Amino acid sequence: QVQLVESGGGLVQAGGSLRLSCAASGSIFSTNTMGWYRQAPGKQRELVAAILSGRLNYADSVKGRFTISRAGAKNTVYLQMNSLEPEDTAVYYCYARLVPAGTARDFDYWGQGTQVTVSS
């Protein structure tokens, strides 16, 4: 069974940095997309950054501050967050669209979420 396990959230002051990690475990045939979403209280979940077939996509609000990277062989994705702002406070969710071993199609998977809190 495929699972996404996140780590790296926490509390940081404005201007600080955090690095999130997410590892996909289980029998995986291929991974199409890995990325990060976030959801702040009272707001909809939004895309933060994603890697799709090698292409990097970022939300406008994080461009120049956040960097997504992936260790492909390990099905692990990272999100380096610099110059954090209070507006970045949210629960961050890892996301992957992948093909589990022994199946003929891809599925969407989500991590359990990790809290990022940025104090002013």
Side-chain angles (χ1 to χ4, degrees):
Q1 183 174 353
V2 174
Q3 288 185 321
L4 303 183
V5 180
E6 302 148 343
S7 61
L11 172 64
V12 66
Q13 288 187 333
S17 299
L18 284 174
R19 187 185 194 220
L20 305 183
S21 300
C22 172
S25 63
S27 297
I28 299 169
F29 176 73
S30 65
T31 304
N32 302 327
T33 304
M34 294 194 79
W36 295 90
Y37 283 71
R38 68 186 181 187
Q39 188 166 18
K43 295 187 177 181
Q44 290 187 332
R45 190 173 296 190
E46 62 175 359
L47 173 69
V48 177
I51 300 177
L52 170 61
S53 299
R55 294 176 298 174
L56 308 183
N57 295 313
Y58 293 96
D60 288 342
S61 60
V62 306
K63 285 181 180 177
R65 301 187 298 121
F66 291 10
T67 302
I68 189 171
S69 60
R70 180 181 162 189
K74 297 182 179 181
N75 283 316
T76 301
V77 66
Y78 306 95
L79 185 67
Q80 178 65 43
M81 304 184 293
N82 298 328
S83 301
L84 282 160
E85 303 168 353
E87 293 74 21
D88 296 316
T89 295
V91 177
Y92 284 69
Y93 296 92
C94 179
Y95 163 78
R97 174 166 289 180
L98 56 85
V99 181
T103 66
R105 52 156 289 191
D106 55 13
F107 294 85
D108 293 333
Y109 293 87
W110 292 91
Q112 78 281 4
T114 184
Q115 177 70 45
V116 171
T117 302
V118 184
S119 63
S120 57

